[in-house]
Amino acid sequence: MNSEQYRELTLIGAGLAGSLLAILLSQRGWKVTVYERRGDPRIKGYESGRSINLALAERGRHALRAAGVEDAVMAQAVMMRGRMIHGLDGSLQLQRYGRDDSEVIWSVHRADLNITLLRAAERAGATVHFHRRLHTVDFDAGYARLIDDRDDQPHDIRFRTLVGADGAGSALRAEMVRKADFDEYTEFLDHSYKELTIPPGPDGGFRIEPHALHIWPRGRYMCIALPNDERTFTVTLFLPNHGLPNHAAPGTDDPSFASVRSGAEVRALFARDFPDALPLIPDLEQDWEHHPPGLLGTLYLDRWHLDGRALLLGDAAHAMVPFHGQGMNCAFEDCVALAEAMDRHGVLEQAFAAFEAERKPNAAAIQAMALENYIEMRDRVDDPDFLLQRELERALQERHPQRFVPHYTMVTFMRIPYAVALERSEIQRQILVEATRGRRDLAGIDWPALARVVEERLPVLEEAR
């Protein structure tokens, strides 16, 4: 139990992480008040501004179980068994994420998930105020000013502790950085994205295989599609901001947001590079011209808390690119770790420091892995060397199930620290590259010698099933 006289906490942000944390802390007897700059997503006609689908994995499901909301969320989730690779020639190849249907990920719709968590937070006792944008904070006096952007009216509040779950553009982080030196740095990717939609088919069903994450890899750019419960797909096209020379077609550049501006230009791009996707997106030109491109970046901070007065978590502390599908899962894991740290420590400053010490190295690890996974998704999933390494990876997993645990399995189907997963993945990648160098298949592999390498370089992973 927390020994402080007042177990009160003010949360900034009622998105996914803020709502989940509100549930966990309210269940523990904390008086939680949440302020959200947007309107209530439960009000008909409200637009959240982002529809990109999210991949729910074991880390996120564990957090939902801890909050008692897993069943409600999973009722609207769509299972994805693996990556469905769309070749330029129209070929299809399913690359499974795991060994069977016990190792899958789930596509969830951001808005639906947010509404489910908000309702649960209020049932747990949290108070949520919408249309309250954080404007300024006086940390010493314990006062904050919030603005209602509908009428520019200020709303002043007193607080004991602020927790920022207000995303990559966190207003609380800006105030904390103004108060103390956090050495904030955002590294933007030289790529951006736009969202499109595949509607249901004429019969009301899915137009393409629903139980997969579809990828159209094209080297320095790609298109992906994730299924929705309402039988649509959220399509995301990732392009460079500026094109590089196309060596396959001298005198031309790869497509980019600098060269693909109009609806006609994006139709020509799809006709050339994503021909099987083109007939699936009837509103392609309209969506392209009306949806602004989204930025992709990685946020780095030296620290996440200001003694016991303020703390950041989720994207507000460690925003990452979306290519490992772990941003939400990592943020949910943050929420559980923070609640447990507050259970263990009687003083919030100690709890915040312990939380930061535990989570910061793991956030850095998944940020690095997310950046790396973009290259894999857009450029390597159809590469023969990569596919041979995947084949060997599966064979070594079968032979050494407690030592050679695939990278994706550690990150997605287990809850071992991200930093441990990164360290082991780097060792395993070296083993795979060395063992397959110069080979076209696995014939002639010296399995006993390879087993000795695995046993020498990879200790038993106790969590492996």
Side-chain angles (χ1 to χ4, degrees):
M1 296 291 289
N2 192 286
S3 65
E4 295 185 353
Q5 183 180 0
Y6 298 101
R7 290 163 59 82
E8 297 179 4
L9 187 139
T10 301
L11 261 171
I12 306 299
L16 302 182
S19 298
L20 180 66
L21 184 61
I23 300 169
L24 294 170
L25 295 183
S26 295
Q27 290 172 342
R28 287 163 162 80
W30 283 80
K31 180 182 177 183
V32 178
T33 305
V34 189
Y35 293 95
E36 167 58 49
R37 65 177 177 83
R38 300 168 301 171
D40 189 336
R42 295 166 292 186
I43 295 174
K44 183 175 175 61
Y46 171 72
E47 290 292 338
S48 67
R50 287 194 296 176
S51 62
I52 189 168
N53 275 44
L54 301 163
L56 179 63
E58 176 55 27
R59 296 171 194 270
R61 290 188 66 179
H62 172 77
L64 296 175
R65 284 193 290 272
V69 295
E70 184 190 26
D71 290 346
V73 172
M74 295 305 294
Q76 298 179 337
V78 180
M79 179 177 70
M80 297 187 291
R81 293 187 173 97
R83 299 165 170 169
M84 183 69 79
I85 309 303
H86 292 248
L88 189 55
D89 60 358
S91 61
L92 295 174
Q93 179 191 39
L94 179 66
Q95 296 179 2
R96 269 194 175 270
Y97 289 130
R99 291 169 289 189
D100 52 42
D101 280 357
S102 69
E103 294 182 336
V104 298
I105 60 176
W106 300 83
S107 177
V108 292
H109 192 276
R110 178 189 293 274
D112 293 342
L113 175 57
N114 203 167
I115 288 170
T116 298
L117 296 176
L118 272 172
R119 288 173 175 159
E122 290 182 337
R123 285 197 305 270
T127 301
V128 185
H129 298 280
F130 296 97
H131 296 292
R132 295 290 185 271
R133 173 176 57 83
L134 184 66
H135 180 59
T136 53
V137 180
D138 185 332
F139 292 101
D140 296 326
Y143 276 96
R145 170 161 288 188
L146 301 111
I147 302 291
D148 184 335
D149 285 328
R150 295 172 298 179
D151 56 14
D152 290 330
Q153 286 299 304
H155 297 266
D156 293 337
I157 63 168
R158 288 198 63 123
F159 68 88
R160 296 182 182 279
T161 299
L162 293 175
V163 174
D166 51 340
S170 170
L172 179 57
R173 185 180 71 243
E175 291 298 295
M176 292 167 69
V177 169
R178 194 171 289 119
K179 174 69 175 176
D181 181 17
F182 279 52
D183 200 18
E184 176 185 15
Y185 173 64
T186 299
E187 182 178 49
F188 287 102
L189 207 59
D190 59 353
H191 290 60
S192 299
Y193 69 90
K194 276 206 183 191
E195 291 179 355
L196 311 163
T197 301
I198 296 176
D203 62 352
F206 287 105
R207 286 177 180 258
I208 52 178
E209 168 58 47
H211 298 300
L213 189 159
H214 293 259
I215 305 180
W216 289 259
R218 298 297 182 261
R220 285 193 286 263
Y221 51 101
M222 70 172 181
C223 195
I224 68 172
L226 277 73
N228 294 309
D229 186 43
E230 61 266 28
R231 308 300 189 265
T232 63
F233 282 83
T234 298
V235 180
T236 310
L237 177 64
F238 297 93
L239 286 178
N241 294 327
H242 303 281
L244 295 174
N246 186 337
H247 299 298
T252 66
D253 290 344
D254 278 339
S256 69
F257 280 105
S259 63
V260 182
R261 294 192 180 94
S262 68
E265 287 167 338
V266 76
R267 173 167 284 275
L269 169 65
F270 269 74
R272 187 191 74 196
D273 289 345
F274 311 107
D276 60 329
L278 181 57
L280 304 173
I281 312 174
D283 296 329
L284 174 63
E285 292 97 328
Q286 180 181 347
D287 284 353
W288 183 265
E289 292 181 350
H290 287 86
H291 294 179
L295 297 176
L296 299 164
T298 305
L299 169 69
Y300 303 100
L301 290 175
D302 272 359
R303 53 197 177 107
W304 298 349
H305 75 288
L306 183 64
D307 47 64
R309 290 176 288 178
L311 172 77
L312 302 167
L313 55 70
D315 282 354
H318 50 68
M320 65 191 74
V321 295
F323 304 112
H324 218 309
Q326 285 292 306
M328 173 185 67
N329 294 284
C330 182
F332 282 1
E333 204 171 51
D334 281 355
C335 294
V336 174
L338 176 59
E340 291 177 348
M342 291 167 66
D343 288 343
R344 292 192 305 270
H345 297 275
V347 178
L348 281 180
E349 183 173 0
Q350 295 173 357
F352 291 174
F355 164 78
E356 181 180 308
E358 174 191 348
R359 294 298 296 163
K360 200 163 181 296
N362 291 305
I366 188 56
Q367 285 176 316
M369 290 187 284
L371 284 165
E372 180 183 295
N373 212 46
Y374 183 34
I375 298 171
E376 177 176 309
M377 290 174 72
R378 76 186 197 208
D379 200 27
R380 299 198 64 216
V381 290
D382 55 355
D383 177 75
D385 290 341
F386 173 79
L387 296 175
L388 183 60
Q389 289 167 22
R390 281 289 303 271
E391 184 181 351
L392 178 58
E393 181 180 62
R394 288 191 293 270
L396 290 175
Q397 181 186 20
E398 291 177 7
R399 290 167 179 261
H400 311 278
Q402 289 189 302
R403 292 182 187 271
F404 204 102
V405 182
H407 164 80
Y408 198 85
T409 297
M410 289 188 288
V411 171
T412 309
F413 307 132
M414 302 172 72
R415 293 192 296 112
I416 63 172
Y418 286 120
V420 173
L422 175 59
E423 180 183 7
R424 294 182 69 97
S425 294
E426 289 174 343
I427 296 170
Q428 291 176 176
R429 183 185 299 107
Q430 292 169 6
I431 294 173
L432 293 173
V433 169
E434 291 165 5
T436 57
R437 185 175 290 121
R439 295 182 177 275
R440 294 186 176 180
D441 55 45
L442 300 184
I445 289 279
D446 187 341
W447 294 107
L450 194 51
R452 289 192 294 273
V453 172
V454 170
E455 290 171 4
E456 288 171 4
R457 298 180 68 181
L458 290 168
V460 168
L461 185 60
E462 297 295 337
E463 295 88 345
R465 296 194 295 268

